[in-house]
């Protein structure tokens, strides 16, 4: 299919082609005090409040009261309107920017509105797109789970018996989810240096094994009453607002000591970074692929009618040292998941847990299975639990992150001119506070 053409100049390698139209929250040079919704397109953003105020949605009469919807400091109100509305707004904006738009008078031929609402991206700042009430992180990347299980047990027992029967997850901390670009403070916590000591003698120390986790995040746009599950299939699919990139920063040494018997706690609650622009499922529809083969007959509440319920998103991770040397340390597809987000939603709510608009779900670390490596979603895997040094530019090495290191995650689908991308998910490590 030929790329959609726009009257607006869009670089061919832009993540935000006319095929995308992701939603986010901005403030800007011309209005620095007010957070409001926008879409990203090429090197610009369309301020949806300014666009609404100038009757920009007059060609979409099905959208009621757009000015109220797009005057909010988060996307929650818009998300709650449901996928039909999300898709109609996206399609309408695609038409507004199309070279052959049916409404040229609204923006293409309206220089004053372009000046007011079509802003250079570099003159804007992004913020968390949603008000996040709850955050749950899953463990759906089977290759990662196998690699880590092999390190701490053995390959024959790498996966726990429940792993292929249900999406394993834990409840994270919504208050420490931050937008891309936010600096991440190295956490303090209890660490057991001598694992042979009896009784054990942990110390309180800054994390020494600070890691990344390359993940996809999913924001919800639907709620369910307490006690009533969201069913697999169309209902679970319709509960998805859109997707972001995610880095679930992890303190591996703190995690090793604390996670028995209830799982991660302080090792995971000090920071989770998400990218700024929410990519709708409709933008990713053409990139659906089959998820990993399970081999286990899952229970009815997890059986999907279609196997192509994950996406072939090309993900990559760069590590930049404090000296400015950048090394690409991972390239992997988002398809390497055993469980899809609809399955995560269905299982999360099967006991009657009420999900809410703005809830965030994480996929868990996504790693490939190539023998050459270079497709691993965590340093823990790349350094084999600290046994191997990772070579990076500047004649330097890493096992885990040092203070001043910057991690950049990117993700994109499609070819130049029609790229559907997420932008960047970036974080830089700051030194721990002395306690």
């Amino acid at each position: 299919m030929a790329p959609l053409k726009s009257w607006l100049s869009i670089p061919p390698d832009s993540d935000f082609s006319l095929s995308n139209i992701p939603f986010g929250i901005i403030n800007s040079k011309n209005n620095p005090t007010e957070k409001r919704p926008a879409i990203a397109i090429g090197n610009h953003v369309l301020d949806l409040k300014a666009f609404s105020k100038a009757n920009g949605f007059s060609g979409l009469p099905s959208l009621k009261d757009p000015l109220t919807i797009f005057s909010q400091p988060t996307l929650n109100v818009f998300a709650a309107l449901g996928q039909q509305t999300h898709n109609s707004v996206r399609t309408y904006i695609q038409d507004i920017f199309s070279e052959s738009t049916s409404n040229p008078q609204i923006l293409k031929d309206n220089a004053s509105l372009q000046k007011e609402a079509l802003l250079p991206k570099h003159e804007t700042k992004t913020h968390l797109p949603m008000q996040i009430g709850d955050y749950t992180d899953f463990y759906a990347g089977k290759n990662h789970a196998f690699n880590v299980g092999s390190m701490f047990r053995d390959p024959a027992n790498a996966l726990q018996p429940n792993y292929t029967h249900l999406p394993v997850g834990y409840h994270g901390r919504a208050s420490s989810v931050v937008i891309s670009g936010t600096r991440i403070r190295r956490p303090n916590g209890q660490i057991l240096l001598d694992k042979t000591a009896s009784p054990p003698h942990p110390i309180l120390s800054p994390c020494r094994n600070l890691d990344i986790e390359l993940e996809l995040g999913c924001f919800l746009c639907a709620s369910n009453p307490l006690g009533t599950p969201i069913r697999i299939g169309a209902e679970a699919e319709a509960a998805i607002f859109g997707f972001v990139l995610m880095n679930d920063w992890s303190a591996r040494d703190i995690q090793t000591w604390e996670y028995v018997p209830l799982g991660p706690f302080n090792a995971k609650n000090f920071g989770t970074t998400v990218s700024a622009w929410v990519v709708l499922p409709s933008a990713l529809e053409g990139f659906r692929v089959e998820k990993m083969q399970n081999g286990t007959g899952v229970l009815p509440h997890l059986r999907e009618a279609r196997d192509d319920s994950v996406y072939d998103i090309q993900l990559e991770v760069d590590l930049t040292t404090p000296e400015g040397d950048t090394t690409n340390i991972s390239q992997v597809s988002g398809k390497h998941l055993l469980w899809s987000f609809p399955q995560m939603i269905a299982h999360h709510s099967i006991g009657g847990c009420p999900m809410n608009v703005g809830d965030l779900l994480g996929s868990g670390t996504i790693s490939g299975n190539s023998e050459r490596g270079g497709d691993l979603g965590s340093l823990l895997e790349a350094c084999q639990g600290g046994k191997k040094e990772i070579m990076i530019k500047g004649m330097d090495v890493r096992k885990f992150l040092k203070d001043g290191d910057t991690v950049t995650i990117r993700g994109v689908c499609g070819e130049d001119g029609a790229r559907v991308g997420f932008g960047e998910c970036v974080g830089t490590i700051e030194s721990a506070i002395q306690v």
Side-chain angles (χ1 to χ4, degrees):
M1 183 182 295
L4 300 174
K5 292 186 178 181
S6 176
W7 52 264
L8 180 69
S9 178
I10 300 174
D13 62 350
S14 173
D15 279 6
F16 309 121
S17 72
L18 194 54
S19 298
N20 194 351
I21 312 297
F23 292 80
I25 294 294
I26 64 160
N27 65 353
S28 63
K29 183 178 179 180
N30 68 344
N31 187 356
T33 61
E34 186 177 28
K35 298 178 184 178
R36 67 272 190 196
I39 61 97
I41 181 163
N43 292 328
H44 292 79
V45 304
L46 180 67
D47 179 339
L48 294 178
K49 180 178 180 180
F51 186 68
S52 300
K53 195 172 182 179
N55 295 316
F57 285 104
S58 59
L60 186 64
S62 62
L63 184 66
K64 307 300 181 185
D65 199 7
L67 184 56
T68 297
I69 296 167
F70 294 123
S71 294
Q72 308 297 323
T74 70
L75 293 172
N76 291 55
V77 169
F78 175 59
L81 297 176
Q83 284 186 358
Q84 184 175 348
T85 297
H86 310 156
N87 292 337
S88 66
V89 170
R90 173 174 172 264
T91 301
Y92 178 75
I93 292 173
Q94 284 178 315
D95 176 70
I96 291 298
F97 280 101
S98 171
E99 189 176 62
S100 56
T101 176
S102 58
N103 296 284
Q105 74 285 354
I106 289 179
L107 191 62
K108 181 181 179 182
D109 298 337
N110 190 337
S112 62
L113 182 53
Q114 288 185 35
K115 184 177 180 180
E116 180 68 23
L118 190 57
L119 309 176
K121 192 182 301 177
H122 69 270
E123 294 184 359
T124 67
K125 180 181 178 181
T126 52
H127 302 270
L128 274 179
M130 307 289 286
Q131 181 178 339
I132 305 168
D134 286 295
Y135 157 49
T136 302
D137 198 24
F138 285 88
Y139 198 45
K142 184 179 179 182
N143 294 326
H144 170 75
F146 178 83
N147 292 340
V148 174
S150 296
M151 287 180 207
F152 295 107
R153 292 182 291 276
D154 61 80
N157 299 290
L159 299 178
Q160 298 287 2
N162 66 349
Y163 188 81
T164 60
H165 289 270
L166 57 85
V168 174
Y170 72 92
H171 289 287
R173 185 71 182 175
S175 63
S176 56
V177 178
V178 296
I179 194 66
S180 175
T182 305
R183 298 177 73 86
I184 299 296
R185 177 79 68 178
R186 182 180 297 271
N188 290 290
Q190 284 198 17
I191 299 171
L192 188 65
L193 295 180
D194 185 356
K195 297 179 175 60
T196 64
S198 182
H201 296 287
I203 64 169
L204 181 65
S205 168
C207 167
R208 303 177 184 198
N209 296 345
L210 185 57
D211 200 359
I212 64 169
E213 290 199 347
L214 165 61
E215 304 193 25
L216 290 172
C218 170
F219 282 114
L220 301 191
C221 63
S223 60
N224 57 299
L226 178 69
T228 304
I230 298 174
R231 305 292 182 182
I232 196 69
E235 189 176 354
E237 292 266 2
I240 296 173
F241 174 47
F243 302 96
V244 290
L245 304 175
M246 197 169 96
N247 187 348
D248 186 35
W249 307 88
S250 299
R252 299 300 187 188
D253 41 4
I254 297 172
Q255 183 178 358
T256 300
W257 171 238
E258 75 177 6
Y259 84 103
V260 178
L262 294 181
F265 185 38
N266 287 331
K268 295 279 193 174
N269 68 9
F270 61 94
T272 299
T273 304
V274 296
S275 55
W277 298 100
V278 182
V279 177
L280 300 187
S282 54
L284 293 170
E285 184 64 27
F287 307 101
R288 280 180 175 266
V289 290
E290 291 187 10
K291 59 182 181 292
M292 301 180 73
Q293 292 298 308
N294 192 318
T296 296
V298 300
L299 294 177
H301 76 288
L302 291 171
R303 291 178 194 161
E304 294 183 287
R306 57 191 300 178
D307 291 326
D308 60 338
S309 52
V310 296
Y311 303 99
D312 188 17
I313 303 167
Q314 303 308 305
L315 303 165
E316 62 178 7
V317 183
D318 286 350
L319 192 157
T320 303
T321 66
E323 293 73 33
D325 294 309
T326 298
T327 304
N328 182 270
I329 60 172
S330 183
Q331 296 182 17
V332 64
S333 170
K335 69 183 181 182
H336 290 290
L337 296 174
L338 186 67
W339 302 101
S340 69
F341 279 107
Q343 286 177 310
M344 296 177 212
I345 294 166
H347 187 68
H348 198 317
S349 64
I350 193 62
C353 173
M355 315 298 287
N356 290 300
V357 174
D359 282 359
L360 174 64
L361 307 181
S363 65
T365 306
I366 302 173
S367 291
N369 58 1
S370 71
E371 294 183 2
R372 64 172 178 80
D375 60 352
L376 302 173
S378 70
L379 297 176
L380 178 67
E381 296 166 88
C383 76
Q384 298 176 6
K387 297 176 183 178
K388 175 184 175 184
E389 290 183 329
I390 305 163
M391 298 300 299
I392 60 175
K393 289 181 181 178
M395 298 297 292
D396 207 347
V397 295
R398 289 290 185 275
K399 291 182 179 179
F400 294 96
L401 296 173
K402 294 184 178 181
D403 292 346
D405 283 349
T406 296
V407 175
T408 303
I409 298 174
R410 300 180 185 86
V412 68
C413 303
E415 304 296 330
D416 281 2
R419 290 162 64 99
V420 176
F422 295 79
E424 295 183 335
C425 179
V426 183
T428 299
I429 303 304
E430 291 188 333
S431 301
I433 292 176
Q434 290 189 344
V435 293

